[in-house]
């Protein structure tokens, strides 16, 4: 089956979905629609949000609704009001050319009287959350004894949110003669009792493997200490200037705090969580859908059913409890064949969780480094330049101001002018990231022997990961001054007043030493050592040449500056001896 016409849907439905841009059925639709049009057998479909599952059950159900029968004919139960509204809206779209079929949503947090009035007018399809649906049944405002279709959408979520008792109560009121359709992203163990008690010989279909994640999603994580998480989040947002994503937190309080902080830091961000009124939630969602917000900070519960297809990123500020929830969260990006990225900010201990994710999705979860300030500045600069290149110039509107503008700017050469325009926007980032530390947490990584300082070290020069780059420094104290690697680390850290300065390779020699530090700290380093003494000796620090081999050669040639410093500092050994000692430490 290649297209909707071939399935046998009514022309008015085809017309409506064609207007929505549906060309071909999605895999779950290809399997479910013909089955539901031709069979009364129950159905279990493993399908996540974003796979087209609403149409998979919605189109065949709508196709069979009898508009003249004023009873509720189909009941769709789902876990949250967002999903409930989304389903109602989606079904309403399919019904655009079938005005005699009515659909309504019933959910908590909104006036029950309004919903009762709606039901009184006569509806054919009701989408509801379990609590409100049960309430309306008990009040005898919603009659479900004539339904022909019962849909349990996101059934796993309904169970994990504690709706089992409500579901039992609702399902026990439904007629025996009906078709039950269960849609779920996962099949947790507890689902068995629902299937056993309320379904008869269901046909099972899967729109892919169980618990799969879209191929177009790149799963990544960064290891960061809790205290650096927020800063890391900002860097991720900054390195992706066009980010459009959801940031998941675990609690309402944290969701609110992160969104508030992002707002104060001038990001287009807002929060969606359980403390918001329905009107507030709708307003936030409206702004997010229209892209007035780039970042939506959300709890799992509040984010259920968020129907936004083009998310570029899903960020796990806090990991969820289960891998299934991880899959749910990240399934919101990479939809409809578009590329997406999932980024989890994890502590060293939480890396095991990422391994479980890897096993479940059968795909590598890539460790990424939190970008450095320099990388962010670079990315922001190029984004700015691209904007300048692509900006539409409205000649007509700008022309009245051009002459005066040109005159004012005529004092600058072309190059100077470019520098100034770029600096107007770019200075903020330069300032923000001046001396920005490395936020990656290496504390739980395996330490390497010798003078490689565990996580704080890395490859030389180019950096261990393509992100952190080190600069090599000379210091005029060595082992004869009782310098040890820990003492050198302490000496460096003291000059940076508690900032965590990533230190790379350390080489201790008799009368002087070398060390590498993150190049972001490099410019400040020599001046920070002004007036510093070690074991009574005035400390001098200066940048060394990048490659050791060059240094070695420079000793042979009498060192930098023509040997005025005796190569490096006040040692008495000959250049050749020094080379030998250096090699010993290599
Ligand atoms: P759902 O999985 O039901 O949440 O659907 C996700 C999104 O895909 C919704 O915005 C639908 O309108 C859209 N959609 C569903 N089926 C199709 C289709 N066959 N072609 C294009 N878009 C679709």
């Amino acid at each position: 089956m290649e297209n909707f016409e071939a399935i046998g849907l009514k022309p008015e439905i085809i017309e409506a979905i064609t207007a929505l841009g549906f060309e071909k059925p999605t895999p779950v639709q290809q399997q479910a629609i013909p089955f539901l049009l031709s069979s009364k057998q129950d159905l279990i479909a493993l399908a996540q949000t974003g796979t087209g599952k609403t149409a998979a059950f919605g189109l065949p159900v709508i196709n069979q609704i009898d508009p003249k029968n004023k009873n509720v004919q189909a009941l769709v139960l789902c876990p949250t009001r967002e999903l409930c509204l989304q389903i109602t809206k989606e079904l309403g779209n399919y019904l655009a050319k079938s005005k005699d079929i009515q659909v309504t949503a019933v959910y908590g947090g909104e006036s029950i009287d309004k919903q009762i009035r709606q039901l009184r007018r006569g509806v054919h399809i009701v989408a509801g959350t379990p609590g409100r649906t049960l309430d309306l049944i008990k009040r005898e405002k919603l009659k479900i004894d004539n339904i022909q279709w019962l849909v349990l959408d996101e059934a796993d979520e309904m169970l994990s949110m504690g709706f089992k008792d409500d579901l039992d109560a609702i399902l026990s009121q439904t007629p025996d003669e009906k078709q039950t359709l269960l849609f779920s992203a996962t099949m947790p163990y507890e689902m068995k009792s629902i299937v056993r008690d309320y379904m008869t010989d269901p046909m099972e279909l899967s729109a892919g493997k169980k618990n799969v994640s879209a191929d177009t999603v790149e799963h990544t994580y960064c290891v960061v200490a809790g205290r650096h998480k927020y800063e890391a989040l900002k860097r991720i947002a900054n390195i992706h200037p066009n980010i459009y994503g959801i940031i998941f937190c675990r609690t309402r309080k944290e969701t609110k705090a992160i969104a508030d902080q992002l707002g104060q830091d001038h990001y287009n961000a807002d929060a969606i969580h359980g403390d918001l009124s329905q009107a507030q939630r709708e307003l936030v969602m409206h702004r997010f859908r229209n892209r007035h917000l780039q970042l939506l900070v959300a709890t799992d519960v509040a984010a259920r059913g968020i129907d936004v297809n083009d998310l570029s990123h899903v960020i796990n500020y806090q990991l969820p409890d289960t891998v299934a929830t991880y899959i749910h969260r990240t399934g919101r990006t990479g939809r409809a064949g578009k590329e997406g990225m999932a980024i989890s900010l994890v502590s060293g201990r939480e890396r095991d969780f990422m391994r479980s994710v890897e096993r479940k999705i059968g795909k590598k979860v890539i460790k990424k480094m939190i970008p450095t300030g320099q990388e962010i500045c670079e990315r922001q600069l190029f984004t700015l330049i691209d904007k300048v290149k692509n900006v539409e110039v409205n000649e007509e509107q700008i022309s009245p101001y051009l002459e005066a503008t040109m005159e004012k700017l005529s004092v600058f050469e072309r190059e100077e002018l470019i520098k100034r325009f770029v600096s107007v926007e770019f200075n903020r980032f330069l300032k923000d990231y001046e001396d920005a530390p490395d936020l990656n947490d290496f504390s739980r990584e395996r330490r390497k022997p010798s003078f490689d300082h565990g996580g704080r070290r890395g490859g030389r020069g180019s950096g261990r990961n393509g992100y952190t780059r080190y600069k090599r420094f000379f210091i005029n104290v060595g082992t004869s001054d009782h310098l040890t690697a820990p003492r050198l680390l302490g000496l460096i850290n003291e000059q940076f007043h508690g900032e965590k300065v990533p230190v790379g390779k350390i080489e201790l020699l008799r009368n002087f030493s070398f060390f590498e530090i993150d190049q972001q700290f490099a410019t400040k380093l020599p001046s920070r050592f002004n007036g510093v003494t070690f074991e009574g000796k005035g400390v001098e620090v200066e940048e060394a040449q990048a490659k050791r081999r060059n240094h070695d050669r420079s000793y042979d040639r009498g060192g930098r500056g023509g040997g005025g410093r005796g190569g490096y500092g006040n040692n008495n050994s000959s250049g050749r001896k020094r080379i030998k000692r250096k090699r010993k430490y290599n």
Side-chain angles (χ1 to χ4, degrees):
M1 179 189 56
E2 270 306 296
N3 55 43
F4 287 105
E5 280 82 5
I7 316 181
L9 291 171
K10 290 177 179 165
E12 58 268 32
I13 297 178
I14 302 267
E15 198 184 333
I17 59 174
T18 306
L20 291 175
F22 291 18
E23 287 169 7
K24 264 177 34 182
T26 64
V28 68
Q29 292 164 4
Q30 291 208 17
Q31 297 177 69
I33 300 174
F35 173 78
L36 294 175
L37 287 176
S38 60
S39 170
K40 286 280 161 224
Q41 195 183 341
D42 289 348
L43 172 76
I44 295 176
L46 272 172
Q48 303 181 24
T49 299
T51 54
K53 63 184 169 66
T54 314
F57 63 76
L59 296 176
V61 166
I62 286 171
N63 205 74
Q64 298 174 78
I65 292 276
D66 173 7
K68 294 197 191 79
N69 175 351
K70 296 296 175 201
N71 292 318
V72 173
Q73 293 169 54
L75 174 64
V76 182
L77 293 173
C78 60
T80 65
R81 45 189 167 185
E82 275 75 26
L83 185 57
C84 189
L85 285 166
Q86 184 191 316
I87 292 170
T88 315
K89 186 170 154 235
E90 193 77 12
L91 297 182
N93 290 339
Y94 310 154
L95 289 168
K97 305 287 168 191
S98 318
K99 295 288 181 205
D100 47 357
I101 300 177
Q102 307 305 323
V103 55
T104 197
V106 297
Y107 50 89
E110 209 207 46
S111 150
I112 197 162
D113 295 333
K114 198 173 144 200
Q115 292 171 1
I116 292 172
R117 283 198 296 278
Q118 207 89 39
L119 291 171
R120 241 186 238 134
R121 272 183 226 131
V123 289
H124 302 93
I125 307 170
V126 171
T129 50
R132 180 55 63 94
T133 302
L134 188 58
D135 193 354
L136 287 162
I137 293 170
K138 283 183 179 162
R139 291 176 188 225
E140 298 186 353
K141 303 298 177 196
L142 171 60
K143 297 202 169 46
I144 56 167
D145 36 11
N146 284 308
I147 59 166
Q148 294 170 49
W149 296 276
L150 172 70
V151 183
L152 302 172
D153 195 14
E154 297 206 355
D156 50 351
E157 287 307 323
M158 288 198 279
L159 290 180
S160 79
M161 287 169 71
F163 286 131
K164 175 81 168 64
D165 290 348
D166 287 353
L167 287 180
D168 282 338
I170 297 169
L171 267 58
S172 64
Q173 305 272 323
T174 57
D176 290 340
E177 285 298 305
K178 64 174 185 301
Q179 191 172 24
T180 302
L181 320 175
L182 186 149
F183 282 74
S184 191
T186 57
M187 276 294 151
Y189 184 75
E190 315 87 81
M191 199 81 87
K192 284 217 162 80
S193 66
I194 297 257
V195 174
R196 189 190 55 223
D197 297 345
Y198 299 109
M199 299 184 85
T200 318
D201 182 28
M203 137 99 169
E204 287 188 38
L205 67 82
S206 164
K209 279 181 277 163
K210 281 184 199 178
N211 295 331
V212 289
S213 145
D215 281 347
T216 48
V217 180
E218 186 182 10
H219 294 266
T220 69
Y221 70 98
C222 301
V223 184
V224 59
R227 66 185 183 284
H228 289 143
K229 255 194 188 178
Y230 177 70
E231 195 53 40
L233 175 68
K234 284 201 322 186
R235 289 201 192 175
I236 288 166
N238 288 341
I239 199 90
H240 300 289
N242 298 320
I243 193 167
Y244 179 51
I246 301 182
I247 299 164
F248 281 99
C249 297
R250 288 172 72 132
T251 63
R252 295 169 188 195
K253 207 170 146 197
E254 185 180 47
T255 305
K256 203 171 148 355
I258 299 292
D260 286 351
Q261 191 60 54
L262 284 169
Q264 280 168 32
D265 291 337
H266 309 292
Y267 292 86
N268 293 329
D270 208 338
I272 182 161
H273 51 76
D275 287 346
L276 299 184
S277 70
Q278 188 57 23
Q280 286 171 320
R281 290 156 81 96
E282 276 165 23
L283 183 66
V284 172
M285 282 315 298
H286 180 72
R287 290 171 59 221
F288 187 52
R289 277 201 194 90
N290 293 344
R291 296 196 175 224
H292 292 145
L293 293 177
Q294 273 186 283
L295 294 168
L296 184 68
V297 192
T299 55
D300 287 296
V301 173
R304 291 263 162 266
I306 286 178
D307 175 32
V308 181
N309 278 329
D310 295 336
L311 294 184
S312 64
H313 288 78
V314 165
I315 299 176
N316 291 315
Y317 191 80
Q318 296 287 2
L319 285 178
D321 282 333
T322 64
V323 175
T325 310
Y326 174 95
I327 292 169
H328 255 285
R329 284 184 179 183
T330 56
R332 293 191 171 83
T333 183
R335 287 191 181 174
K338 295 208 171 109
E339 288 189 355
M341 186 186 259
I343 305 174
S344 300
L345 297 176
V346 304
S347 68
R349 244 183 263 134
E350 288 171 325
R351 278 181 304 180
D352 284 348
F353 183 90
M354 301 319 291
R355 271 176 223 121
S356 311
V357 168
E358 213 164 64
R359 281 195 293 276
K360 202 82 161 187
I361 63 175
K363 197 169 161 180
K364 184 104 189 109
V365 179
I366 303 158
K367 182 179 176 199
K368 293 253 177 181
M369 292 296 151
I370 295 157
T372 62
Q374 196 194 1
E375 285 162 333
I376 291 168
C377 291
E378 213 172 276
R379 180 71 61 90
Q380 290 287 344
L381 176 62
F382 291 128
T383 307
L384 175 63
I385 291 168
D386 283 345
K387 258 194 211 165
V388 171
K389 272 178 81 176
N390 299 327
V391 70
E392 227 175 88
V393 177
N394 189 325
E395 298 281 355
E396 207 175 305
Q397 284 187 347
I398 206 170
S399 65
Y401 313 101
L402 268 186
E403 202 182 315
T405 310
M406 294 294 185
E407 201 185 313
K408 272 184 176 247
L409 296 176
S410 63
V411 290
F412 300 115
E413 295 288 328
R414 176 176 180 273
E415 211 164 290
E416 180 66 18
L417 200 59
I418 292 175
K419 274 194 238 163
R420 279 170 183 268
F421 268 95
V422 165
S423 300
V424 168
E425 273 221 38
F426 189 51
N427 279 354
R428 178 166 73 92
F429 285 98
L430 285 179
K431 189 164 176 297
D432 280 0
Y433 287 110
E434 190 185 22
D435 287 347
D438 184 350
L439 298 182
N440 294 288
D441 182 3
F442 300 103
S443 57
R444 291 176 71 90
E445 284 185 5
R446 210 183 302 131
R447 282 171 184 266
K448 295 217 171 160
S450 125
F451 291 117
D452 289 351
H453 287 271
R456 308 213 309 155
R457 65 165 299 282
R460 302 172 66 243
S462 63
R464 72 193 165 268
N465 48 46
Y467 281 114
T468 305
R469 293 190 163 81
Y470 288 94
K471 275 222 163 101
R472 191 156 182 261
F473 279 84
F474 159 87
I475 184 164
N476 66 332
V477 280
T479 52
S480 65
D481 306 300
H482 309 292
L483 185 70
T484 58
R487 289 189 82 186
L488 177 56
L489 285 173
L491 191 63
I492 297 165
N493 284 330
E494 269 170 33
Q495 315 319 319
F496 283 88
H497 301 291
E499 281 177 79
K500 198 176 172 190
V501 186
V503 177
K505 203 158 184 103
I506 291 176
E507 293 168 78
L508 297 178
L509 304 171
R510 190 174 157 68
N511 293 312
F512 57 89
S513 305
F514 295 97
F515 60 91
E516 293 174 334
I517 70 160
D518 188 329
Q519 67 176 16
Q520 293 182 71
F521 296 89
T523 45
K524 293 253 161 126
L525 187 83
S527 63
R528 296 279 171 108
F529 274 91
N530 279 346
V532 172
T533 57
F534 184 80
E535 297 275 328
K537 184 173 169 181
V539 176
E540 285 175 37
V541 169
E542 66 177 50
E543 198 182 325
Q545 287 170 24
K547 289 194 177 112
R548 186 177 313 195
R549 202 163 281 163
N550 292 343
H551 286 302
D552 288 352
R553 272 195 224 114
S554 73
Y555 297 129
D556 284 338
R557 289 199 307 266
R560 298 187 311 169
R565 294 176 56 117
Y568 287 105
N570 46 1
N571 72 86
N572 301 316
S573 335
S574 72
R576 194 160 298 280
K577 262 191 190 157
R578 268 178 264 135
I579 294 165
K580 271 195 191 146
R581 189 171 287 279
K582 269 174 68 63
R583 289 212 176 112
K584 200 174 148 204
Y585 285 97
N586 280 346

